[in-house]
């Protein structure tokens, strides 16, 4: 690729005076063509050749993401897509919400500090004041906040350290299908084996329990019976002196598993888990990094069950589209020594400003309540689609967080009627969705679950368009 330099054109070219014009005027060189810079294809090829093999979304999309507004993005060739990825749920307000951008611009021009480690600033005060108004029950009166490094995995790491410190215990429990991050400690809690197998050594004393995955119940029961047996299993494991598992420092759980395949835990199961852990004096940590912040139709996904955990992990949407991660925890566990968990960018002032603005938008536009209503519409349309598409095995979700599990319709069903997961079909459908203007991601067992995480600002018209594009992609890949 050749880079050309172009001189700016003058405002006007004067006509030469005949009396002062020399007999011979040299012909000017040909004007250089304007420099348009590298093409989108050249940009993509350059970055791909230099980026690590760990890239995922970029490879699946295969284009340069050029711009976006609300629930729509466009690539470098001008093609527009409905964005049901939203940076893995980070962009709760969609792309470039005007109120958030206005607040950030005003802050950048105000002369206030750009970064502050963990020093106190007006931006931190404004953010915390707004955040604590959104904590349910008694949590606003009893919870402390640890500002972490600006990724959700660091909130997980902070919680592991805090509860091991506060309890003096070493064992940590998580669940099948869990996703808590990709750093060493958080990966140890994560269920996905593909990410774990290449790593020679992860944090020890981590054990995984069955999660209430109704479509593929780990006990082969499903429904209320599966929930009861699952809770009985957990209680017996924690009280059996011969279980081989020492009393844990904490139990980590998602009220709605995201990367695990968009699996909502039944409210009665969460209530039972909270009762067991409280009675046995075991801290319960709710990972709300993806499911929180209004995504499921309540401010926090655990609110549907009416429980109060001992800690909450928060990131993604909390920063209004900018990097921020928090650990919220009951003050009785505040065993930190100064500097026990630090990080240079835990004082990300821009994210604090954007996060406070985003909370205002959530309230002013009623987006949490609207997410519940729009979720009913989206879920209804997906279930109607499932009636005509035998490759759809299960539809599940809450609010604006939905999963479509694809199966082999000709495969043998198990005792509960679930057919084999079809990850290959999901990959093909995901690619076909791009051709129909829909950007989404897949996950779950065998990568067979198509995941919809649109911005909370998506319109009803756009929701209909999302399902229409998905239907076309399914037909293409039948």
């Amino acid at each position: 690729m050749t880079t050309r330099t172009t001189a700016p054109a003058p405002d006007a070219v004067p006509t030469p005076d005949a009396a002062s014009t020399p007999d011979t005027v040299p012909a000017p060189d040909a004007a250089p063509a304007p420099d348009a810079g590298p093409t989108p294809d050249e940009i993509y090829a350059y970055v791909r050749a230099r980026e690590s093999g760990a890239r995922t979304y970029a490879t699946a999309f295969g284009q340069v993401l050029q711009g976006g507004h609300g629930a729509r993005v466009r690539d470098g060739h001008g093609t527009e897509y409905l964005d049901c990825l939203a940076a893995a749920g980070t962009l709760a307000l969609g792309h470039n919400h005007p109120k958030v951008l206005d607040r950030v611009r005003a802050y950048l021009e105000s002369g206030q500090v750009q970064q502050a480690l963990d020093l106190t600033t007006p931006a931190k005060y404004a953010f915390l004041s707004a955040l604590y108004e959104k904590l349910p029950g008694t949590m606003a009166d009893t919870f402390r906040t640890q500002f972490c490094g600006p990724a959700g995995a660091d909130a997980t790491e902070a919680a592991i350290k805090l509860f091991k410190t506060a309890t003096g215990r070493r064992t940590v429990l998580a669940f099948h299908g869990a996703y808590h991050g990709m750093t060493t400690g958080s990966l140890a809690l994560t269920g996905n084996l593909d990410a774990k197998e290449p790593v020679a050594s992860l944090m020890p004393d981590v054990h995984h329990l069955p999660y209430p995955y109704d479509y593929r119940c780990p006990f082969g029961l499903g429904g209320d019976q599966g929930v009861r047996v699952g809770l009985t299993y957990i209680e017996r494991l924690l009280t059996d002196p011969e279980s081989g598992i020492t009393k844990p420092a904490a139990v980590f759980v998602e009220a709605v598993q995201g990367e695990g395949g968009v699996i909502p835990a039944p409210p009665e199961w969460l209530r039972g888990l909270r009762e067991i852990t409280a009675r046995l004096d075991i801290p319960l940590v709710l990972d709300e990094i993806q499911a929180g912040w209004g995504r499921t139709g309540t401010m926090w996904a655990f609110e549907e069950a009416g429980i109060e955990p001992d800690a909450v992990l928060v990131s993604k949407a909390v920063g209004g589209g900018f990097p921020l991660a928090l650990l919220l925890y009951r003050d009785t566990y505040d065993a930190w020594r100064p500097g026990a968990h630090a990080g240079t960018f835990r004082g990300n002032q821009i994210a604090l400003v954007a996060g406070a603005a985003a909370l205002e938008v959530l309230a002013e536009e009623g987006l949490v309540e609207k997410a519940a209503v729009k979720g009913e519409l989206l879920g209804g349309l997906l279930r109607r689609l499932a009636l005509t598409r035998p490759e759809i095995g299960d539809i599940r979700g809450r609010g604006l967080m939905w999963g479509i599990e694809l199966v082999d319709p000709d495969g043998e069903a198990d005792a509960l009627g679930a057919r084999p997961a079809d990850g290959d079909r999901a990959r093909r459908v995901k690619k076909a969705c791009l051709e129909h203007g829909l950007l989404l991601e897949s996950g779950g067992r065998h990568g067979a679950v198509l995941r919809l995480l649109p911005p909370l600002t998506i319109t009803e018209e756009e929701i209909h368009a999302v399902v229409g594009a998905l239907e076309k992609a399914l037909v293409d890949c039948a």
Side-chain angles (χ1 to χ4, degrees), residues 64-413:
V64 175
L65 196 59
Q66 190 77 29
H69 181 75
R72 297 177 182 269
V73 295
R74 68 180 184 279
D75 66 23
H77 298 289
T79 302
E80 190 174 77
Y81 306 84
L82 281 163
D83 185 5
C84 282
L85 176 60
T90 297
L91 299 171
L93 305 185
H95 296 268
N96 297 311
H97 193 283
K99 183 162 188 173
V100 174
L101 294 185
D102 287 346
R103 288 290 180 84
V104 170
R105 290 190 192 101
Y107 185 82
L108 291 173
E109 295 172 358
S110 70
Q112 296 184 63
V113 295
Q114 183 177 352
Q115 296 292 344
L117 300 174
D118 68 352
L119 295 170
T120 303
T121 65
K124 180 183 284 189
Y125 166 77
F127 173 80
L128 281 177
S129 299
L131 172 65
Y132 271 63
E133 290 179 1
K134 297 295 184 181
L135 295 181
T138 65
M139 291 172 62
D141 298 323
T142 60
F143 269 52
R144 297 287 183 93
T145 299
Q146 170 72 39
F147 286 90
C148 303
D154 194 56
T156 304
E157 297 286 352
I160 293 169
K161 289 168 58 178
L162 174 63
F163 286 105
K164 284 188 174 185
T165 300
T167 64
R169 306 169 197 158
R170 66 178 186 270
T171 297
V172 181
L173 300 184
F175 289 86
H176 302 164
Y179 182 85
H180 298 292
M182 285 289 183
T183 51
T184 302
S186 63
L187 181 58
L189 303 187
T190 293
N192 187 286
L193 296 180
D194 285 344
K196 301 172 78 162
E197 285 175 345
V199 184
S201 179
L202 292 170
M203 184 177 71
D205 291 313
V206 174
H207 302 274
H208 288 79
L209 306 174
Y211 190 84
Y213 182 6
D214 195 48
Y215 184 63
R216 300 187 187 278
C217 177
F219 302 103
L221 299 170
D224 294 340
Q225 190 176 7
V227 168
R228 288 195 299 271
V229 171
L231 290 172
T232 300
Y233 176 87
I234 293 171
E235 181 167 19
R236 296 285 167 82
L237 179 143
L238 292 173
T239 57
D240 182 357
E242 298 289 334
S243 70
I245 298 175
T246 58
K247 187 173 183 177
V251 174
F252 285 72
V253 67
E254 298 158 274
V256 181
Q257 287 191 341
E259 301 292 333
V262 191
I263 308 173
E268 59 271 24
W269 183 85
L270 276 177
R271 286 192 289 269
L273 180 64
R274 171 69 287 193
E275 190 279 326
I276 292 168
T277 53
R279 174 161 41 88
L280 298 179
D281 186 30
I282 300 170
L284 180 63
V285 181
L286 262 293
D287 185 336
E288 295 272 320
I289 289 170
Q290 187 169 92
W293 216 249
R295 165 77 38 202
T296 62
T298 53
M299 186 63 194
W300 309 100
F302 64 80
E303 283 188 87
E304 185 188 43
I307 65 171
E308 289 189 16
D310 297 299
V312 182
L313 310 181
V314 192
S315 188
K316 293 193 186 299
V318 71
F322 294 85
L324 188 65
L326 313 171
L327 166 62
L328 310 177
Y329 59 93
R330 201 173 300 280
D331 54 13
T332 53
Y333 294 104
D334 192 16
W336 287 128
R337 293 180 180 178
H341 193 76
T344 302
F345 294 107
R346 64 194 186 279
N348 186 350
Q349 302 297 298
I350 307 304
L352 296 175
V353 171
L359 281 169
E360 289 185 25
V361 173
L362 286 180
E364 291 170 356
E365 299 184 12
L367 292 179
V368 178
E369 297 78 11
K370 288 179 181 178
V373 175
K374 294 173 184 176
E376 289 294 326
L377 171 63
L378 178 55
L381 292 173
L382 290 172
R383 292 188 184 101
R384 187 185 308 171
L385 176 61
L387 295 176
T388 64
R389 303 306 314 174
E391 66 270 40
I392 295 180
D394 193 33
I395 299 291
R396 52 185 180 258
R398 281 176 48 199
L400 290 174
M401 184 176 185
W402 286 85
I404 305 100
E405 182 160 349
L406 300 187
V407 299
D408 177 2
D410 299 320
E412 183 177 354

